Protein backbone atom coordinates (compact mmCIF):
# COMPACT_ATOMS: atom_id res chain seq x y z
CA UNK A 1 0.00 0.00 0.00
CA UNK A 2 2.20 2.69 -1.24
CA UNK A 3 -0.46 5.04 -2.51
CA UNK A 4 0.77 8.55 -3.01
CA UNK A 5 -0.96 11.33 -1.12
CA UNK A 6 -1.43 14.54 -3.08
CA UNK A 7 -1.59 17.78 -1.23
CA UNK A 8 -2.79 21.18 -2.32
CA UNK A 9 0.69 22.38 -3.19
CA UNK A 10 1.01 19.49 -5.68
CA UNK A 11 -1.57 21.19 -7.90
CA UNK A 12 -0.72 24.73 -9.05
CA UNK A 13 -4.36 25.88 -9.21
CA UNK A 14 -5.04 24.75 -5.64
CA UNK A 15 -1.82 26.31 -4.47
CA UNK A 16 -2.92 29.65 -5.91
CA UNK A 17 -6.38 29.21 -4.37
CA UNK A 18 -4.97 28.52 -0.88
CA UNK A 19 -2.51 31.40 -1.18
CA UNK A 20 -5.30 33.77 -2.19
CA UNK A 21 -7.53 32.52 0.63
CA UNK A 22 -4.81 33.05 3.23
CA UNK A 23 -4.03 36.50 1.80
CA UNK A 24 -7.74 37.45 1.81
CA UNK A 25 -8.15 36.30 5.43
CA UNK A 26 -5.01 38.20 6.42
CA UNK A 27 -6.36 41.43 4.84
CA UNK A 28 -9.78 40.89 6.46
CA UNK A 29 -8.10 40.47 9.84
CA UNK A 30 -6.37 43.84 9.50
CA UNK A 31 -9.60 45.50 8.36
CA UNK A 32 -11.37 44.11 11.43
CA UNK A 33 -8.51 45.16 13.71
CA UNK A 34 -8.50 48.73 12.38
CA UNK A 35 -12.30 48.99 12.63
CA UNK A 36 -12.16 47.91 16.27
CA UNK A 37 -9.38 50.41 17.05
CA UNK A 38 -11.33 53.19 15.27
CA UNK A 39 -14.46 52.27 17.22
CA UNK A 40 -12.55 52.41 20.50
CA UNK A 41 -11.56 56.01 19.78
CA UNK A 42 -14.96 56.94 18.28
CA UNK A 43 -16.98 55.92 21.33
CA UNK A 44 -17.76 59.01 23.42
CA UNK A 45 -19.39 56.98 26.21
CA UNK A 46 -16.10 55.19 26.91
CA UNK A 47 -13.76 57.11 29.21
CA UNK A 48 -10.03 57.53 28.76
CA UNK A 49 -9.17 54.65 31.07
CA UNK A 50 -11.58 52.33 29.30
CA UNK A 51 -10.19 53.31 25.92
CA UNK A 52 -6.64 52.69 27.12
CA UNK A 53 -7.59 49.30 28.60
CA UNK A 54 -9.36 48.14 25.43
CA UNK A 55 -6.50 49.39 23.27
CA UNK A 56 -3.92 47.56 25.38
CA UNK A 57 -6.04 44.42 25.25
CA UNK A 58 -6.34 44.65 21.45
CA UNK A 59 -2.64 45.42 20.94
CA UNK A 60 -1.17 42.91 23.41
CA UNK A 61 -3.60 40.05 22.72
CA UNK A 62 -4.85 40.86 19.22
CA UNK A 63 -7.03 37.85 18.44
CA UNK A 64 -8.49 37.47 21.90
CA UNK A 65 -8.80 41.24 22.41
CA UNK A 66 -10.64 41.83 19.14
CA UNK A 67 -13.01 38.91 19.60
CA UNK A 68 -13.80 39.87 23.21
CA UNK A 69 -14.39 43.48 22.08
CA UNK A 70 -16.73 42.28 19.33
CA UNK A 71 -18.69 40.15 21.78
CA UNK A 72 -18.85 42.82 24.50
CA UNK A 73 -19.35 45.97 22.41
CA UNK A 74 -20.06 44.77 18.88
CA UNK A 75 -23.72 45.84 18.77
CA UNK A 76 -22.83 49.47 19.37
CA UNK A 77 -20.18 49.55 16.64
CA UNK A 78 -22.72 49.77 13.85
CA UNK A 79 -24.80 52.36 15.69
CA UNK A 80 -21.76 54.56 16.31
CA UNK A 81 -20.68 54.25 12.70
CA UNK A 82 -24.16 55.24 11.47
CA UNK A 83 -24.24 58.21 13.86
CA UNK A 84 -20.87 59.41 12.60
CA UNK A 85 -21.97 59.02 8.97
CA UNK A 86 -25.15 61.00 9.66
CA UNK A 87 -23.19 63.76 11.43
CA UNK A 88 -20.81 63.98 8.48
CA UNK A 89 -23.75 64.11 6.06
CA UNK A 90 -25.42 66.88 8.09
CA UNK A 91 -22.18 68.87 8.14
CA UNK A 92 -21.76 68.43 4.39
CA UNK A 93 -25.38 69.43 3.72
CA UNK A 94 -24.97 72.55 5.85
CA UNK A 95 -21.78 73.44 4.01
CA UNK A 96 -23.54 73.03 0.66
CA UNK A 97 -26.46 75.20 1.85
CA UNK A 98 -24.12 77.95 3.02
CA UNK A 99 -22.11 77.80 -0.18
CA UNK A 100 -25.21 77.83 -2.36
CA UNK A 101 -26.58 80.85 -0.51
CA UNK A 102 -23.44 82.71 -1.35
CA UNK A 103 -22.31 82.72 2.24
CA UNK A 104 -21.57 86.42 1.93
CA UNK A 105 -22.38 89.01 4.49
CA UNK A 106 -24.96 91.76 4.12
CA UNK A 107 -22.25 94.21 3.14
CA UNK A 108 -21.04 91.93 0.31
CA UNK A 109 -24.56 91.51 -1.03
CA UNK A 110 -25.28 95.23 -0.83
CA UNK A 111 -22.01 96.00 -2.63
CA UNK A 112 -22.98 93.60 -5.42
CA UNK A 113 -26.41 95.22 -5.68
CA UNK A 114 -24.85 98.71 -5.82
CA UNK A 115 -22.53 97.62 -8.63
CA UNK A 116 -25.49 96.19 -10.56
CA UNK A 117 -27.42 99.44 -10.09
CA UNK A 118 -24.40 101.53 -11.16
CA UNK A 119 -24.00 99.45 -14.34
CA UNK A 120 -27.71 99.89 -15.06
CA UNK A 121 -28.55 96.21 -14.76
CA UNK A 122 -31.32 96.95 -12.26
CA UNK A 123 -33.57 99.94 -11.68
CA UNK A 124 -33.83 101.99 -8.50
CA UNK A 125 -37.07 100.22 -7.56
CA UNK A 126 -35.50 96.76 -8.11
CA UNK A 127 -32.50 97.86 -6.06
CA UNK A 128 -34.75 98.95 -3.18
CA UNK A 129 -36.71 95.65 -3.23
CA UNK A 130 -33.51 93.58 -3.39
CA UNK A 131 -32.05 95.59 -0.51
CA UNK A 132 -35.16 94.89 1.56
CA UNK A 133 -34.82 91.19 0.77
CA UNK A 134 -31.17 91.23 1.89
CA UNK A 135 -32.14 92.78 5.21
CA UNK A 136 -35.08 90.40 5.58
CA UNK A 137 -32.84 87.34 4.93
CA UNK A 138 -30.33 88.42 7.57
CA UNK A 139 -32.88 89.59 10.12
CA UNK A 140 -32.62 87.98 13.57
CA UNK A 141 -35.16 85.27 14.26
CA UNK A 142 -36.17 86.73 17.62
CA UNK A 143 -38.88 89.42 17.56
CA UNK A 144 -37.73 93.00 17.94
CA UNK A 145 -38.50 95.08 21.03
CA UNK A 146 -41.33 96.97 19.31
CA UNK A 147 -43.08 93.73 18.28
CA UNK A 148 -42.85 92.31 21.80
CA UNK A 149 -44.54 95.37 23.31
CA UNK A 150 -47.62 94.96 21.10
Amino acid sequence: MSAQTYLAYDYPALSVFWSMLVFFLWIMWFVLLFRVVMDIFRDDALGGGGKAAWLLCVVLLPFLGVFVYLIARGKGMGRREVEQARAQQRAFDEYVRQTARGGGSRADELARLSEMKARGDITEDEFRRAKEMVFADHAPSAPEKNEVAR
Side-chain angles (χ1 to χ4, degrees):
M1 298 218 142
S2 63
Q4 263 188 324
T5 306
Y6 292 104
L7 299 175
Y9 57 81
D10 291 332
Y11 298 99
L14 286 177
S15 177
V16 169
F17 170 75
W18 286 112
S19 297
M20 293 300 288
L21 181 66
V22 168
F23 181 73
F24 175 74
L25 291 175
W26 184 69
I27 294 296
M28 288 305 297
W29 166 250
F30 279 108
V31 168
L32 180 63
L33 180 67
F34 290 133
R35 285 191 60 159
V36 166
V37 170
M38 286 174 43
D39 188 64
I40 290 172
F41 287 109
R42 178 185 302 140
D43 190 7
D44 292 334
L46 199 59
K51 288 180 183 185
W54 275 114
L55 194 59
L56 279 175
C57 184
V58 166
V59 169
L60 296 179
L61 303 168
F63 290 107
L64 183 64
V66 166
F67 292 132
V68 169
Y69 185 85
L70 289 175
I71 291 169
R73 302 181 52 83
K75 283 185 180 180
M77 283 179 70
R79 181 181 42 78
R80 286 185 288 276
E81 191 169 342
V82 167
E83 286 173 3
Q84 181 186 20
R86 285 184 181 152
Q88 287 176 340
Q89 184 65 42
R90 281 192 301 270
F92 177 74
D93 290 344
E94 182 60 30
Y95 170 76
V96 168
R97 270 190 230 101
Q98 287 178 353
T99 304
R101 259 189 272 157
S105 66
R106 246 189 280 194
D108 294 336
E109 292 180 38
L110 290 174
R112 268 188 260 127
L113 285 172
S114 295
E115 289 174 13
M116 290 172 65
K117 184 179 126 192
R119 284 192 311 250
D121 294 339
I122 58 175
T123 65
E124 180 65 37
D125 190 44
E126 291 171 329
F127 174 74
R128 185 182 46 77
R129 280 184 286 175
K131 188 168 68 167
E132 289 172 2
M133 286 175 40
V134 167
F135 284 116
D137 286 346
H138 292 288
S141 58
E144 295 182 11
K145 292 178 186 176
N146 295 340
E147 292 177 347
V148 174
R150 290 181 195 169

